[in-house]
Amino acid sequence: MRIVIAEDSVLLRDGLSRLLEAEGHDVTGYPTADELVAALGTGTAGDDLPDVVVTDVRMPPSHTDEGLRAAVHLRSLHRRLPILVLSQYVEQRYAAELFAGDVRGLGYVLKDRVADVEEFLDALQRVAGGGTVIDPEVVAQILARTRSTGLETLTPREREVLGLMAEGRSNTAIAERLVVGLPAVEKHVTSILTKLGLPPDADDHRRVLAVLRWLEHGPTAAQPGPVVTPPGGVRTDRPTNGARA
């Protein structure tokens, strides 16, 4: 694949580049969001576009949300351009903004996830293939804070299934992860979609819409919920490391 990385940290940018090049990918790196937009903005199309873009959220000059805004802008120009956004810690508002439009070929994962090489490469492949990936830590925190949106009616097992759905897992992959039969997973998925009021005649992205329900309503939650342990086993009653995204 042809991969573009936008990351102001030289160590992380070079590290990701070497990792991906070792996997046989062609990698180009940029230290700022402005350079990313200049390279892939207006006038770039078709064969000139990469297979996937990986960008940090916070980049120079202000280190706030330049990378995210660049991602949103590039998607407005190239609506099928796959983009995987990296963040140092959970930025619920940023995740909601990123997934406000067409969610296919989009991912939002924490930088801690990069340490698990196989998991990171899997997420990258799924986004490049048009899938949607949301970090389980993001999902868990949103779920813990959300009230009166239909999510509170889900059983613990349904919440676990929904967390795996957010990672872009198929029913078969969920069954393998939970060590249950495929019919059991299908039953849980049907129950989740029914409880969230997603009609049976909706398109194939009802699974993603279920996850986006958290993103849509999470910011308005008034009370924190119980501690939730997402599929990766990471507790959400502690912040992730680092002060920058």
Side-chain angles (χ1 to χ4, degrees), residues 151-168:
L151 294 169
E152 72 279 3
T153 66
L154 301 183
T155 67
R157 176 60 93 181
E158 287 169 348
R159 291 181 175 217
E160 192 172 10
V161 170
L162 186 49
L164 291 169
M165 288 165 58
E167 294 182 61

Side-chain angles (χ1 to χ4, degrees), residues 15-28:
L16 285 176
S17 296
R18 292 180 182 181
L19 167 66
L20 295 170
E21 287 170 350
E23 294 292 321
H25 303 301
D26 180 13
V27 182
T28 302

